Amino acid sequence: MNNQQKNIGLLVGFLITLFVVYNFAIKNTFEVKNKYSNLLKEKQLLNNATNRTIYLAQKNNFLDSILKSKNVSLKNSFQQTLLQKITSFSEEKKLEVLAFDEPHEFIEKNTTVTTFSFEVKGDFSTLLKLINHIEQQQLGELISIHFKKKKNYSKNRIYLTATIFLQKIKNN
């Protein structure tokens, strides 16, 4: 064998050895390193999830305390809360709630639009204060307010009523 054949044999042997070493050692090392980095990312996500859970629990407690301070029961429906707010304002300002109709619900795609209608009797300025109170409480969007002058024939008196439509939009 001459030197050229020995060099070619040595080069081929070196390439085969390099291929075998890569397949059995280096390739496995890269795979383990990738798994390790993926596990570190998952660990960090879990730590963030734990912190996020703690943060959301604190935020939930804070929002519950705000609701309790505004006398909003967590178990009541929105309709009961709305009626409670209107009734308390009416008792304070000497208004009379004549009607509180069942809400009308309209569902389209992922959105539920609920419209509440109620009728209140009182003088004009007090009715405007009630409307302002509802807007300030941000209970929903006032869609329509219809004032109507009516007459009580038995007492021969004229009084003012307001029919108020309040709309609440909720994503499902």
Side-chain angles (χ1 to χ4, degrees):
M1 268 190 154
N2 62 16
N3 284 337
Q4 187 177 9
Q5 289 175 342
K6 288 180 185 179
N7 286 341
I8 291 174
L10 184 62
L11 184 63
V12 170
F14 179 72
L15 290 177
I16 291 173
T17 307
L18 191 62
F19 178 73
V20 170
V21 167
Y22 175 77
N23 278 335
F24 289 114
I26 298 173
K27 185 178 176 182
N28 292 338
T29 304
F30 285 137
E31 287 176 3
V32 170
K33 182 184 177 206
N34 287 336
K35 285 181 183 178
Y36 177 72
S37 63
N38 287 339
L39 288 174
L40 283 177
K41 287 178 185 176
E42 287 181 24
K43 180 182 176 187
Q44 188 174 10
L45 286 174
L46 287 176
N47 286 340
N48 288 344
T50 305
N51 293 339
R52 181 87 172 142
T53 304
I54 293 169
Y55 169 73
L56 289 175
Q58 289 173 346
K59 187 174 180 181
N60 191 23
N61 291 337
F62 174 70
L63 293 174
D64 286 347
S65 68
I66 289 174
L67 288 175
K68 286 179 184 176
S69 70
K70 292 190 175 200
N71 291 330
V72 175
S73 174
L74 300 175
K75 296 177 183 174
N76 288 348
S77 69
F78 178 77
Q79 183 178 5
Q80 291 171 335
T81 304
L82 177 64
L83 184 59
Q84 178 186 6
K85 297 271 186 191
I86 293 169
T87 304
S88 65
F89 186 85
S90 297
E91 289 171 353
E92 182 182 316
K93 300 292 183 179
K94 297 182 182 174
L95 290 174
E96 185 178 339
V97 179
L98 299 176
F100 194 88
D101 300 330
E102 285 293 316
H104 176 265
E105 286 191 357
F106 176 73
I107 301 171
E108 184 175 327
K109 295 181 183 173
N110 289 339
T111 306
T112 303
V113 178
T114 309
T115 306
F116 301 91
S117 64
F118 51 94
E119 189 174 358
V120 184
K121 173 182 162 184
D123 63 286
F124 185 73
S125 63
T126 311
L127 290 173
L128 286 180
K129 288 178 184 176
L130 172 66
I131 293 166
N132 184 40
H133 178 71
I134 291 171
E135 286 179 337
Q136 294 299 319
Q137 294 288 320
Q138 297 177 348
L139 296 172
E141 183 180 354
L142 288 170
I143 298 301
S144 175
I145 302 160
H146 181 72
F147 291 100
K148 191 170 187 180
K149 189 166 91 171
K150 294 183 179 180
K151 184 172 185 176
N152 185 348
Y153 290 103
S154 63
K155 294 184 179 179
N156 199 20
R157 292 193 176 190
I158 297 174
Y159 59 93
L160 184 66
T161 63
T163 305
I164 301 170
F165 292 92
L166 181 77
Q167 196 172 65
K168 185 156 180 80
I169 300 172
K170 182 172 77 169
N171 291 330
N172 295 337

